[in-house]
Every structure is written in structure tokens, then in C-alpha cells.
Amino acid sequence: MSRDVAVVAFAQTKHTGEDAGLTEVELLAPVITEIKQATGLNRFGFTCSGSLDYLAGAPFSFVSALDTVGAWPPISESHVEMDGAWALYEAWARLRHGDVDTALVYGFGKSTQGSLRELMTLQLDPYYLAPLGPDQVSLAALQARAFLDAGHKEDDLRAVAARSRAAGRANPYALDLPDPADEGYEVAPLRPHDCAPITDGAAAVVLAAGDRARELSERPAWIRGIDHRIEAHSLGARDLSRSESAALAAERAGARDVEVAELHAQFSHEELMLREAIGLADGVRVNPSGGPLAANPVMATGLIRIGEAASWIHRGEARRTLGHAASGPCLQHNLVCVLEA
Amino acid sequence: MGEPCAVIGVGQTEYRTKRTDVSIAGLVREAALRALEDAGLTFKDIDAVVIGKAPDLFEGVMMPEAYLADALGARGKPMIRVHTAGSVGGSTALVAASLVQAGVHDRVLVVAWEKQSESNATWALSTHPPLSPTIVVGAGGYFAPHIRAYMRRTGAPDHIGTLVAVKDRQNALKNPYAHLRIPGISREMVESTPMLWEPIRYLETCPSSDGAAAMVLASESAARRAPNPPAWVHGTAMRSEPIFFAGRDTVSPQAGKDCAADVYRQAGITDPRRELDCAEVYVPFSWYEPMWLENLGFCGEGEGWKLTESGATGLDGDIPWNASGGVLSSNPIGASGLIRFAEAALQVRGLAGEHQVEGARRALGHAYGGGAQFYAMWVVGSDRP
């Protein structure tokens, strides 16, 4: 089977850097309503979501999220405990079967509920690594150091942060963060502006196959290639200065000749590493939305990258774009999605 | 349904209260290696890995696919983590099958697991999130009232649950992987155990198990090269409905009926009791056998308990349910659904050993989760559809 599948609609919250008093369900509900109105669809052939129980500290975040979808009569639905980008991947595969034409995909996260930085420690090897307590920023700093040692400068990181924050200020959905100031290190060599902000938010995408996509969108963003790869978990087993799994996923997805790339870089150096790994030419516009450094609603951030990349095609402003998502410590797992008009 | 898909390898660990001899990685790898051996393959031959388990709070390892990538030979490959509550083992198999049916991969390794001894599931299910109602009763406390409602609705006599508890444990004595293997299991023994959540007695509930199960799913060309007989996928379906709303039938939920109707339609089945040879159905509390017999259309409404009482679902009955001993005999929660799907495959491959249903050619695998609101099902058969 090789049915063409396209992103036909994208919606996201106006992400916040502080607790706006909304539950995860309340964050998500308006986004689902918006995307249903935008597509005129109330029922979908398949529904898939991505979320993380640990953000709320309770099992089954996705159970109550189902209330936002209107799952009655019952719907064909699944969930990944991963970023919504992987829910999109599952839905993309499902649409290729040929029996259903539309899929609703969503991701949501409310990071302000806890301490994300320490929470991510629970993702590490529970026997040999997690008990040592390394937090997410410290691990990213190890990778940043390896990257700088391979011939890059701290100023390069600052330039990424400055460009991302400026772009974020121009994006009504991202946070308003000031230009990088002369702050101390968060964890050397990373400064506070090199780290993605704590963010609450949600996003949704509608996928459609073949002619259904052409009916639902004037300019569908066709998925020309999508692939994801995971690499070793142990940081000691990897060359931290490069992202092998991103390079492999990009190659398999056919990531060439794109005009715009939205990268799931939660730290400044990750953007530079991913540019190299994916093989983006100098002229490619990277993270024109501001990227995760301007808004990082965990579990939706990767899905938003694909949604943002698709929006360029929906608006008729680009012909070929790329969305990227990452998971695991220090870019352990990377997904690349190439979209085309 | 897309491209043809078949099960060419099944692997299970021994299910026990505590598998202190292995780490989590060791546990999943044990199941994976056995599935690969059955398929005559090594990790090198696998294109992608799909992994599932119940809530991460059960072991306190968040998004464990990151840590388990190495143990499952996933380095340099795609890896997906599925989570759909108790139905997750079934959903995980369906996501893996979907990748083959979509023509994305030829050989997918699917693994589901739980290591309940690392934590306390009832505790993890009874948290107090802000601004949300909390149940604080674990799964037994949640489902007991629904069982009561079933008994009231159908007039089922009290001993039906006991019959299922005995039947499934007798089957477990024939399954070397089963956790609860109770010699001399009898109605008197079940009835002498304490009442946990009225009407559920101690021996009418599932155990807490450590364990993992795995399968290798293959495209047609890969299945043709497998050393052992394949189980062909004849239909797959998932359904979900919201947990709370006025008028919801929690005894025989619509999502279960719709899911069954969908999977039967794909498999060309109109009379499941007659056209299926056996079924592995998610029965964590004994009474769920008669309840699901009705929900899945094996009999009319109100007739489920009579079917159970008649012995039809026994290993020597006309439609054996849970010949493996079922969830009542082994319950590594996240894996329990996948075990149902895998046992259904073993039956139609003729590889179920001592609990083989004679001549089984078509079987149903079933899993449910959440507040009986998430469903995953497949029908597998000896013949290519």
C-alpha cells in the first residue's frame, strides 16, 4: 500500500510559561474544537494522542483527555506515552491501510505542575543511572560540552537563542522572552537562554489520505517521508558530539532540499547538532516559529514542529519543509518528517 | 486491513510474583529472545520494535523505551511505546501489526511487560490529582459494582464466578508459564477464600505478576520463510469511549460491542461461537467471563452465565475460553493483553502444548482497559485470509 497522506490542519494553544489555572483537559479542549471547526470534521477514522502521566503525577492522563474528543459513539483510538509526533507516525501508518481516510492527532502537556528538570531523571536507566540523580539540564550540558569541544563556540549557542527568542516574540503562540542577557551559567556551558522554557500547552493535527486530503485543504502538506530511529541509551556508549539517530532518520525520510525546518531542539546546541545531522544547507530557515527555545509544551512540542512545517505549505509560502521531533536524554530518539506541497 | 500480516514467533517469560533473578531489561529480553528463536531470527533481522506497558507509575520508570532500547536490539531502529491502560498489550500488538499492514516494515518485534514486584499497582492507581475525582479503590473496587449490576440484571446465581475461577486455574495447570498453578483447585477452595470486593473473592481475582511476552509479526514474504507455521491476522480493531457519562452501560459497554463487530466483519464472522474455535479474553475477575460472553456476541443478552455454567467455555467445551489459564492465572498487567493475543496465535499455529484446543484454526484475542472503556481485539487463523 502506498497511499499518500497529508497534514491538512494544525491548531495549537497560546502557550504559557506559567500555570494559567487550566487542567490538561481544559488546555486541550479548545484546540480540538478549533481543528474540528477548521476541517468541518466531527468524526475521524482514527484518533491517536501523545501525553505523559508523570507530568500530572497520576496514571491515565489520556483517559480524561478523551472527553475533549467526544468519543461517542465509541471511536477507533490509540495512545503513545511519547510526544504527539509519534502519535502522528502511528496515525500515518494506520491511514496507509486504505480503509479509513482521516485521523485526529493530538499532544498536550502541563509542565508547570512539577519540576520537569528533575522529572526527566526518571527516564534514565533505573538501576545504573537514575539513582545517581543527573537532571535533564546537566545531561544536556555534557552533550553541549562535547559539541563545543568538537569545534564550536559558546557564541554560536547564544546566536541560536537570540534568533529563537526574537522569532518567538513574533509568534503569537510562543512565549515573549527577552533577548539573551549576560547571565551566568545554568549548567556550564549552557546559560538560562540556552534551555527551553517551562511551558504549558497543547496541539492537534488532522491527517487525511488521497482525495480526502484535497477536499479538506486547498494546499495539503503531503508527507513525502517520515522515519524515526533510536540509539543507545547510555551516554557513555555514544559519541555525544553528534546525533547518529537523527542523521539516519533524515536519510531514510529523504530530508533534502527543504526550505524550512522546524527542529525539536530543547537546548541551543541541539539545533546546531541537528542541522549537521540532518544535513540542512545554510539557506534553510530553521525554527522560524521560535522553536522549543521559545515555547516547549512537553509532549506537544514535537507535534508542533510538524504542524508548523506544514503551515508553510498550507499558506503557500514554501514547497518543501521538514518537521523534527526528539525523545530521550540527549537526543536519543529522533523523528524526521518531510512535507511537500 | 492493508497488507497481509502474520505472527511468526511467540515468546513468554515464566510469570511469577517476583522475578528477582532479572532486571526489567532482562525480563523483556527473555521474552524477546524466545520469540526470535521461534521465528528463527535474531535481533539483526528485526526492522522495528513496538513496546507496551501499563502506567509508568507502576515501576517508577518514565518512558522506559529509552532505557530498554539496547536490551531489545533497537539501536538504529524505530521504537514506539504504546500506552492504552489495561488494553495496552492488545493495542501494542495492533500497532505493530499496523506497521506491517501499512507496508512500512517486514518484521516487527512487539514486546509488552510489567514488573509488578517493583511497585504497588493499587497505590499507583489511587493517586489524588488536583481538581479531579479519585477512585482510591484500585481495579477490584472499581469493577465490583459493575459485576453486581450484571448479576442483578441477569439473575445470575452466585456460584458462576466460582466456576470460572476453577476452570481457568485448571487450565493453568497445563500451561508451564502460568503464575497461579494450584493443584486440586476446587469450588470449595475458591469459596473458602476471603471476600475482597463483594462479590469478588480472593481466588476470583487475578494475581500480581512479573512477566513479559513478545511476538514477531511479519509481512507475507517474511512469513513464507518462517520455520514454524504462521498465525495470519484476519482482523484488527480498537475502540474507546469516555469513562463517565450519564446513561453509559458499564456492564456491557458499547465500545466492546462495536470493536467485536468490527473485527468479526473483517474476519467474515457472523456467529462467533460457531465460527471461532477458541478465544483468549481479558478476564481479570472471574465474573467478566459471562459478561464478555454477552458483550462479544457469543450468546444473547442475559445468557452468558448459562453458557459458563454449561461448561461450553471449558477446554473440552464447544468454545474454550482462556485455555492458557487467562489473566486469572497470570497478570503482568501491561503484558496481559499481549499474552491473550499471543495465546490465540499459538492455538491456531498448533503450538499451544498441553492446553492446545484440538484442531483450532481461528481464534479471538481480546483486551480491555481503563473503566472498561478501551478495547483491542484481533482474530487470527491458520489460513492466509
Side-chain angles (χ1 to χ4, degrees):
Chain A
M1 280 302 132
S2 57
R3 287 217 306 171
D4 284 337
V5 174
V7 175
V8 296
F10 168 56
Q12 59 183 322
T13 49
K14 287 191 169 156
H15 315 305
T16 64
E18 65 292 315
D19 181 357
L22 302 174
T23 63
E24 287 179 333
V25 173
E26 289 166 330
L27 275 172
L28 181 62
V31 172
I32 300 294
T33 304
E34 183 185 332
I35 207 157
K36 282 183 169 179
Q37 283 170 350
T39 55
L41 294 174
N42 204 34
R43 302 276 296 172
F44 301 87
F46 186 61
T47 298
C48 196
S49 63
S51 68
L52 178 59
D53 284 350
Y54 265 91
L55 289 178
F60 306 134
S61 313
F62 58 91
V63 174
S64 35
L66 201 55
D67 289 344
T68 67
V69 179
W72 190 260
I75 59 171
S76 174
E77 188 257 354
S78 186
H79 172 263
V80 292
E81 194 81 351
M82 304 180 81
D83 187 284
W86 275 269
L88 181 144
Y89 182 87
E90 183 182 330
W92 164 79
R94 183 66 188 81
L95 287 182
R96 284 168 58 102
H97 296 194
D99 58 333
V100 293
D101 292 333
T102 58
L104 171 67
V105 178
Y106 57 91
F108 57 94
K110 188 171 160 69
S111 303
T112 58
Q113 289 173 112
S115 169
L116 184 69
R117 182 171 166 173
E118 285 143 39
L119 199 60
M120 297 311 280
T121 304
L122 296 175
Q123 191 184 32
L124 306 173
D125 180 326
Y127 303 96
Y128 294 108
L129 199 49
L132 303 175
D135 67 273
Q136 184 192 26
V137 179
S138 301
L139 292 179
L142 280 177
Q143 184 160 42
R145 178 62 70 199
F147 181 69
L148 293 179
D149 287 350
H152 302 269
K153 299 190 300 292
E154 273 190 47
D155 278 350
D156 301 339
L157 306 188
R158 174 185 294 267
V160 168
R163 196 206 69 239
S164 300
R165 287 183 163 207
R169 291 194 296 271
N171 173 0
Y173 299 101
L175 307 186
D176 278 333
L177 299 169
D179 274 327
D182 281 323
E183 305 160 290
Y185 289 114
E186 184 72 34
V187 180
L190 297 175
R191 298 175 190 274
H193 54 251
D194 292 316
C195 308
I198 295 295
T199 312
D200 291 354
V205 159
V206 171
L207 297 181
D211 289 340
R212 197 82 178 97
R214 290 178 198 98
E215 285 164 28
L216 289 168
S217 168
E218 220 172 290
R219 285 181 287 265
W222 298 101
I223 296 175
R224 288 297 176 222
I226 184 166
D227 194 272
H228 65 105
R229 302 280 149 172
I230 196 165
E231 57 189 279
H233 180 64
S234 167
L235 305 185
R238 297 195 236 159
D239 175 355
L240 280 184
S241 69
R242 31 201 294 275
S243 177
E244 263 180 45
S245 54
L248 188 55
E251 185 198 322
R252 308 284 294 216
R256 292 171 307 278
D257 306 323
V258 299
E259 297 144 66
V260 176
E262 281 280 344
L263 305 179
H264 191 168
Q266 296 185 76
F267 301 92
S268 301
H269 66 282
E270 291 184 353
E271 179 186 304
L272 301 172
M273 289 180 60
L274 289 165
R275 276 175 183 255
E276 279 182 19
I278 296 171
L280 297 176
D282 286 344
V284 177
R285 290 190 68 172
V286 174
N287 288 348
S289 70
L293 290 177
N296 184 34
V298 172
M299 309 318 277
T301 309
L303 182 63
I304 291 170
R305 306 281 71 75
I306 297 173
E308 288 282 359
S311 297
W312 284 80
I313 291 165
H314 294 160
R315 293 193 303 264
E317 292 173 3
R319 192 190 53 81
R320 195 169 152 93
T321 64
L322 180 150
H324 159 270
S327 185
C330 298
L331 298 173
Q332 186 193 349
H333 195 175
N334 291 279
L335 179 147
V336 173
C337 178
V338 177
L339 299 156
E340 209 173 68
Chain B
M1 260 181 56
E3 303 287 340
C5 174
V7 180
I8 60 167
V10 170
Q12 304 186 62
T13 66
E14 280 69 29
Y15 306 117
R16 298 287 178 265
T17 307
K18 289 178 195 232
R19 284 294 306 271
T20 50
D21 58 322
V22 286
S23 63
I24 293 170
L27 188 73
V28 297
R29 192 173 168 87
E30 190 175 300
L33 285 171
R34 287 174 179 173
L36 289 169
E37 191 188 352
D38 183 8
L41 302 173
T42 68
F43 282 119
K44 257 203 336 276
D45 304 306
I46 296 297
D47 300 322
V49 179
V50 182
I51 184 167
K53 71 174 298 297
D56 293 354
L57 273 81
F58 282 5
E59 289 84 8
V61 186
M62 190 174 88
M63 305 167 88
E65 77 280 1
Y67 146 67
L68 294 171
D70 298 78
L72 290 173
R75 284 166 73 161
K77 295 173 187 172
M79 189 168 187
I80 298 178
R81 156 71 193 293
V82 180
H83 177 21
T84 63
S87 58
V88 65
S91 310
T92 307
L94 296 187
V95 173
S98 170
L99 295 173
V100 174
Q101 292 167 320
V104 179
H105 298 302
D106 282 320
R107 292 186 189 92
V108 179
L109 174 67
V110 53
V111 185
W113 62 281
E114 207 73 64
K115 205 160 188 299
Q116 289 213 56
S117 66
E118 303 270 340
S119 170
N120 181 323
T122 294
W123 173 85
L125 290 172
S126 304
T127 55
H128 294 264
L131 311 173
S132 305
T134 181
I135 298 164
V136 210
V137 287
Y142 180 83
F143 289 114
H146 303 148
I147 293 171
R148 262 284 155 218
Y150 172 77
M151 296 169 77
R152 185 188 175 95
R153 189 184 288 187
T154 62
D158 291 351
H159 69 277
I160 300 299
T162 319
L163 298 179
V164 178
V166 172
K167 184 257 299 177
D168 282 6
R169 270 51 170 274
Q170 279 171 341
N171 291 347
L173 289 167
K174 298 176 188 294
N175 177 359
Y177 296 112
H179 178 177
L180 288 188
R181 293 161 54 83
I182 308 168
I185 179 80
S186 66
R187 279 180 65 172
E188 296 68 37
M189 195 188 292
V190 174
E191 282 160 4
S192 71
T193 58
M195 190 64 82
L196 294 184
W197 308 275
E198 211 286 322
I200 307 170
R201 290 187 182 277
Y202 182 75
L203 273 182
E204 287 181 89
T205 185
C206 51
S208 291
S209 314
D210 286 357
M215 287 188 283
V216 178
L217 301 184
S219 65
E220 178 161 20
S221 61
R224 296 283 178 216
R225 295 198 294 276
N228 292 318
W232 295 94
V233 176
H234 289 197
T236 64
M238 296 179 183
R239 283 295 184 285
S240 309
E241 68 183 42
I243 186 167
F244 298 123
F245 63 92
R248 178 173 180 238
D249 186 348
T250 51
V251 174
S252 188
Q254 189 64 38
K257 292 180 186 172
D258 290 1
C259 193
D262 190 1
V263 83
Y264 296 155
R265 180 187 51 77
Q266 293 170 46
I269 288 171
T270 52
D271 182 348
R273 181 174 174 191
R274 203 175 311 278
E275 294 170 71
L276 290 166
D277 298 305
C278 57
E280 284 283 339
V281 177
Y282 204 101
V283 175
F285 304 102
S286 59
W287 277 94
Y288 268 87
E289 175 174 302
M291 289 164 72
W292 290 148
L293 278 166
E294 295 176 28
N295 187 250
L296 295 172
F298 282 72
C299 60
E301 280 185 22
E303 304 290 319
W305 66 268
K306 296 174 193 163
L307 205 58
T308 291
E309 192 175 42
S310 75
T313 57
L315 200 41
D316 54 357
D318 73 89
I319 181 67
W321 268 38
N322 295 323
S324 65
V327 181
L328 280 176
S329 305
S330 310
N331 186 36
I333 302 179
S336 292
L338 192 102
I339 298 168
R340 307 280 70 71
F341 280 48
E343 284 285 350
L346 285 174
Q347 289 290 351
V348 301
R349 299 172 75 204
L351 299 175
E354 227 191 308
H355 62 280
Q356 176 70 46
V357 173
E358 192 72 23
R361 300 192 64 78
R362 270 212 293 194
L364 171 72
H366 162 281
Y368 84 96
Q373 63 183 136
F374 297 110
Y375 295 84
M377 300 179 199
W378 79 3
V379 170
V380 284
S382 321
D383 299 324
R384 186 195 175 290

